[in-house]
């Protein structure tokens, strides 16, 4: 068989898929991975075309293998729903549950875990434990019979959309920030960050095990507010961090993200970064929409499961600003996922961010593109969200096909904001 040297982007795509498959699946926040580019270049300088295709197929399998691996490791906490998504085991969510429904559910063997009322958003729901011995599929069918036209769902887990390099990079002298800091409030829904994080104003946990600093969340925060030689894309920003993972193997679930977003709306935080992906969920979709009506907009990454993966959420909710990533040469990340509608692109590779210990590391993924867009959106908020989005459109640099396109949305934001490795 003839062997040919493939373009760098194909070699990188293959490597990203293989690295993703090799990563342990026991934590929703991805563990540190080797820097993508150099490792892949050495491993695949000469690669048959068939190998590249296998790499793309492996990328598409990542969410499936990740979910199954989590269930094997935590069968008492995590299960697969009928669509193969990782969800909280033995639990269902019912929207607008009233006493009559709760009583009917109890008679069918469902135990009420909690009833939640988010009055500021006009949303109420209940969490139930499924009947002993009933499969999740059977429990869903039974509860839907009880609930009538009310939404019934599982509580799906969400996963980080990027990884940090395994080794620190050489010390970096950050360039002077462009523009002026507004000191605006920006929320992060992710893992926790260190108390010494620049700009940290408030931090709250929404998962068992308390607040725990994670490299992924720390990287998001550093891109916004700087630190460890990383340039701040939002100088002077006040960060509100919601840890939805803590020490819970079933952390990152939709209900935790929803509660975190409700908290940020109460704190009147106008822009929230969510660099996590999962399947659609009625509860989270309603909370995202209600938050937008109250003046809080979510900026979300499209994920790294590849263009063949299902649309990512929360990026695909219509009220959310969906962001993909590009490398230093303005090329779309081959591993980038997709949303039902793409808004912007921003740097997502060939860049440096801080880890939870305050060390600069290389990072890659659409996760790290979202905070750049959030930073620029925050800078334009004086006239409201709609006016800020029009201003952001004016900043966007058109890439790919002229006008809005599925690879870059309405264009590249903050292309010169990233801190690059030396």
């Amino acid at each position: 068989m003839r062997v040919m040297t493939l373009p760098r982007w194909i070699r990188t795509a293959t490597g990203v898929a293989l690295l993703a498959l090799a990563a342990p699946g026991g934590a929703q926040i991805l563990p540190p991975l080797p820097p993508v580019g150099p490792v892949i270049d050495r491993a695949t300088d000469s690669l048959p075309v068939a190998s590249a295709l296998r790499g793309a197929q492996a990328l598409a399998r990542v969410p499936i293998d990740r979910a199954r691996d989590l269930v094997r490791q935590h069968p008492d906490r995590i299960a697969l729903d009928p669509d193969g998504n990782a969800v909280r085991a033995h639990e269902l969510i019912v929207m607008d549950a009233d006493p009559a429904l709760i009583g009917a559910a109890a008679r069918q063997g469902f135990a009420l875990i909690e009833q939640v009322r988010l009055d500021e958003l006009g949303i109420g729901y209940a969490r139930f434990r499924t009947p002993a011995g009933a499969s999740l599929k059977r429990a869903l069918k039974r509860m839907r019979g009880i609930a009538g036209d009310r939404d019934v769902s599982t509580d799906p887990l969400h996963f980080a959309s990027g990884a940090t390099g395994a080794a620190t990079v050489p010390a970096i002298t950050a360039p002077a920030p462009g523009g002026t800091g507004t000191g605006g409030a920006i929320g992060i829904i992710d893992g926790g960050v260190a108390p010494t994080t620049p700009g940290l104003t408030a931090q709250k946990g929404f998962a068992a095990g308390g607040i725990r600093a994670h490299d992924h969340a720390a990287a998001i925060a550093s891109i916004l507010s700087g630190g460890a030689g990383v340039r701040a894309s939002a100088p002077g920003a006040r960060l509100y961090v919601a840890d939805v993972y803590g020490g819970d193997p079933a952390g990152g679930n939709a209900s935790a993200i929803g509660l975190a977003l409700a908290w940020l709306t109460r704190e009147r935080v106008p822009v929230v970064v969510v660099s996590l992906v999962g399947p659609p969920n009625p509860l989270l979709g309603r909370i995202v929409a209600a938050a937008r009506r109250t003046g809080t907009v979510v900026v979300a990454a499209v994920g790294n499961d590849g263009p063949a993966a299902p649309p990512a959420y929360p990026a695909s909710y219509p009220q959310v600003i969906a962001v993909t990533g590009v490398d230093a040469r303005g090329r779309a990340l081959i591993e980038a996922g997709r949303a039902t509608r793409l808004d912007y692109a921003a740097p997502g590779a060939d860049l440096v961010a801080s880890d939870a210990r305050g060390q600069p590391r290389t990072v890659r993924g659409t996760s790290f593109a979202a905070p750049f867009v959030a930073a620029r959106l925050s800078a334009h908020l004086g006239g409201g969200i709609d006016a800020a989005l029009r201003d952001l459109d004016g900043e966007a640099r058109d890439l790919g096909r002229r006008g809005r396109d599925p690879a870059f949305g309405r264009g590249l934001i903050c292309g010169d904001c990233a801190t690059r490795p030396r």
Side-chain angles (χ1 to χ4, degrees):
M1 179 175 66
R2 183 184 176 191
V3 176
M4 61 183 291
T5 300
L6 295 174
R8 181 185 176 96
W9 68 267
I10 296 181
R11 290 185 273 131
T12 301
T14 304
V16 168
L18 297 178
L19 285 172
L21 281 175
Q28 313 315 348
I29 296 294
L30 295 179
L33 295 176
V36 172
V39 172
I40 302 313
D41 290 348
R42 288 199 299 271
T44 61
D45 278 340
S46 293
L47 187 68
V49 172
S51 295
L53 295 177
R54 285 195 297 272
Q57 292 166 350
L59 188 64
R61 288 198 306 270
V62 167
I64 299 169
D65 293 343
R66 179 176 58 201
R68 290 175 177 172
D69 188 41
L70 280 170
V71 172
R72 283 193 294 268
Q73 293 186 51
H74 306 284
D76 58 327
R77 304 297 301 277
I78 302 171
L80 296 180
D81 72 5
D83 296 320
N85 300 305
V87 302
R88 293 174 85 170
H90 315 299
E91 291 191 22
L92 295 180
I93 296 173
V94 182
M95 301 300 302
D96 305 313
D98 56 20
L101 184 147
I102 292 170
R107 290 190 290 274
Q108 292 287 327
F110 292 91
L112 179 67
I113 299 172
E114 66 172 343
Q115 190 170 11
V116 179
R117 194 64 216 163
L118 303 175
D119 291 324
E120 68 277 15
L121 299 178
I123 291 173
Y125 64 94
R127 291 172 53 218
F128 291 91
R129 187 164 185 84
T130 57
S135 69
L136 202 52
K137 183 177 181 178
R138 177 171 291 186
L140 276 165
K141 182 177 180 180
R142 188 183 302 178
M143 181 61 87
R144 284 169 178 157
I146 299 168
D149 59 358
R150 284 169 281 209
D151 284 318
V152 178
S153 69
T154 57
D155 197 355
L157 310 189
H158 293 67
F159 298 85
S161 304
T164 58
T168 57
V169 297
I172 296 165
T173 301
T180 58
T182 64
I186 300 177
I188 300 172
I189 297 178
D190 207 292
V193 300
T196 55
T197 298
L200 181 61
T201 300
Q203 183 166 211
K204 187 172 181 178
F206 293 88
I211 296 171
R212 298 191 182 186
H214 287 283
D215 287 346
H216 186 265
I220 301 297
S222 70
I223 289 171
L224 290 167
S225 61
V230 178
R231 176 185 182 178
S233 60
R238 294 175 287 113
L239 302 185
Y240 290 72
V241 178
D243 182 353
V244 295
Y245 290 99
D248 188 354
N253 50 74
S255 57
I257 296 172
L259 289 173
L261 186 55
W263 170 62
L264 292 167
T265 61
R266 287 195 297 272
E267 295 293 328
R268 300 188 181 281
V269 176
V271 179
V272 177
V273 179
V274 184
S275 289
L276 313 173
V277 296
N281 175 262
L283 170 62
L284 187 53
R286 282 180 59 173
I287 292 176
V288 165
R292 180 68 181 266
R293 289 194 299 270
T294 66
T296 295
V297 63
V298 171
V299 178
V302 299
N304 302 322
D305 293 333
Y313 289 82
S316 289
Y317 294 125
Q319 302 84 5
V320 171
I321 308 304
V323 182
T324 192
V326 300
D327 64 16
R329 295 173 61 183
R331 299 173 300 185
L333 300 188
I334 190 64
E335 72 270 26
R338 65 189 183 95
T340 53
R341 178 212 69 260
L342 181 63
D343 292 291
Y344 302 107
D350 308 311
L351 70 152
V352 174
S354 173
D355 66 13
R357 291 154 295 283
Q359 297 297 313
R361 294 178 182 267
T362 54
V363 296
R364 180 184 177 101
T366 61
S367 276
F368 311 112
F372 289 113
V373 173
R376 297 309 303 153
L377 182 60
S378 177
H380 290 293
L381 274 179
I385 291 174
D386 291 339
L389 288 171
R390 290 193 293 270
D391 290 341
L392 207 58
D393 287 346
E395 280 190 16
R397 178 160 63 90
D398 197 25
L399 297 176
R401 297 202 305 262
R402 185 174 180 83
R404 186 171 185 164
D405 65 69
F408 304 102
R410 297 197 291 277
L412 177 65
I413 298 296
C414 225
D416 296 327
C417 298
T419 303
R420 305 294 184 186
R422 182 182 297 176

